[in-house]
């Protein structure tokens, strides 16, 4: 027996893609900017490597914590909404049936067909039907705190590993230039890849991430040069 064909859609990967791209971008930008700022203050090479390593650990934990708290709040909101909807279904199922049918009427069905569709869906999974069509909660959009936190922490670490590796391998006199060049190139590639996977135009994504990344590293370098030791 052949399995039903499931057509892939880019929207199905939006959740993890957003967290992964955000984490990798932040890992590269923040770690490179941090090291460039300290390097512009004329710190020793060993101190730069230590700064990058500390930035990687702190940044990964910060990203994971922030993402977990944010998505957990979304998950709590979804759970509360589902509990409220379940209570309404148990209290007045007929009213909820009319409410669901009205939604389908607004989407273009005539009332008779809308009622049949609502009845069929509620007989199969009443809460699921209302969650999807009334509340906008589905398998694609549902909040997953642990998944988002892990994706953010891992992607940040992968991103931060690039400037940290460049710092460890590059001569002290060329750390700033090497970091700026590799960070901008890798961020441009990442921005273009994310845009392509998401179905957006590649050019604007590359320009956007390159501009703000260059600005971040430039400001960090200025701070280091102004307040650093001569």
């Amino acid at each position: 027996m052949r399995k039903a064909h499931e057509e892939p859609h880019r929207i199905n990967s939006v959740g993890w893609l957003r967290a992964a791209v955000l984490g990798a971008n932040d890992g590269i930008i923040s770690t490179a900017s941090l090291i460039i700022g300290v390097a512009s203050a004329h710190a020793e090479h060993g101190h730069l490597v230590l700064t990058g390593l500390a930035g990687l650990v702190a940044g990964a934990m910060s990203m994971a914590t922030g993402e977990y708290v944010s998505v957990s709040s979304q998950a709590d909101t979804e759970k509360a909404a589902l509990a409220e909807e379940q209570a309404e279904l148990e209290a007045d199922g007929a009213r909820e049936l009319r409410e669901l049918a009205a939604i389908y009427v607004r989407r273009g069905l005539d009332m008779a067909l809308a009622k049949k569709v609502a009845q069929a869906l509620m007989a199969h999974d009443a809460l699921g039907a209302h969650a999807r069509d009334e509340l906008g909660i589905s398998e694609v959009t549902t909040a997953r705190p642990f998944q988002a936190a892990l994706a953010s922490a891992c992607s940040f670490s992968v991103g931060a590993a690039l400037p940290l590796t460049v710092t460890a391998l590059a001569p002290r006199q060329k750390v700033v230039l090497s970091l700026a060049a590799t960070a901008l190139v890798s961020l441009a590639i990442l921005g273009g890849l994310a845009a392509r996977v998401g179905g957006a135009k590649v050019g604007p994504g590359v320009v956007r991430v390159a501009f703000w990344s260059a600005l971040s590293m430039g400001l960090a370098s200025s701070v280091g040069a102004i307040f650093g030791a001569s």
Side-chain angles (χ1 to χ4, degrees):
M1 181 177 176
R2 296 178 60 186
K3 293 183 178 179
H5 171 67
E6 293 184 3
E7 183 180 357
H9 292 282
R10 291 188 175 96
I11 190 65
N12 294 333
S13 62
V14 166
W16 68 262
L17 178 63
R18 181 190 68 83
V21 170
L22 176 62
N25 277 345
D26 197 23
I28 297 173
I29 295 172
S30 62
T31 306
S33 298
L34 179 63
I35 297 174
I36 287 175
V38 176
S40 298
H42 308 289
E44 297 180 3
H45 191 262
H47 293 164
L48 299 182
V49 175
L50 180 60
T51 297
L53 182 59
L56 185 155
V57 175
M61 292 305 300
S62 176
M63 286 289 293
T65 301
E67 196 72 17
Y68 180 80
V69 171
S70 174
V71 180
S72 291
S73 297
Q74 179 185 341
D76 291 341
T77 301
E78 290 178 357
K79 289 178 182 178
L82 290 173
E84 182 179 359
E85 191 64 34
Q86 182 64 52
E88 291 176 354
L89 284 167
E90 294 173 356
D92 192 350
R95 177 179 177 277
E96 292 301 306
L97 175 62
R98 293 193 299 271
E99 191 175 64
L100 191 61
I103 292 173
Y104 298 144
V105 169
R106 290 196 296 271
R107 292 180 180 178
L109 300 183
D110 61 69
M111 179 56 73
L113 180 56
K115 286 183 178 180
K116 289 182 179 179
V117 172
Q119 288 171 344
L121 291 177
M122 288 186 65
H124 174 68
D125 181 6
L127 182 59
H130 281 269
R132 180 180 59 253
D133 295 320
E134 182 182 349
L135 304 177
I137 301 174
S138 68
E139 283 295 319
V140 173
T141 61
T142 189
R144 297 181 177 88
F146 282 108
Q147 182 189 64
L150 182 62
S152 293
C154 291
S155 57
F156 182 98
S157 299
V158 171
L162 174 65
L164 180 59
T165 301
V166 172
T167 302
L169 298 178
R172 173 62 184 86
Q173 297 80 3
K174 297 182 179 180
V175 166
V176 173
L177 181 60
S178 299
L179 273 177
T182 54
L184 285 175
V185 170
S186 58
L187 284 165
I189 293 173
L190 186 60
L193 179 62
R196 185 172 182 81
V197 171
K201 292 183 178 179
V202 174
V206 171
V207 172
R208 193 162 46 234
V209 71
F211 171 78
W212 289 107
S213 300
L215 179 62
S216 173
M217 290 184 284
L219 291 174
S221 179
S222 299
V223 171
I226 293 172
F227 296 101
S230 60

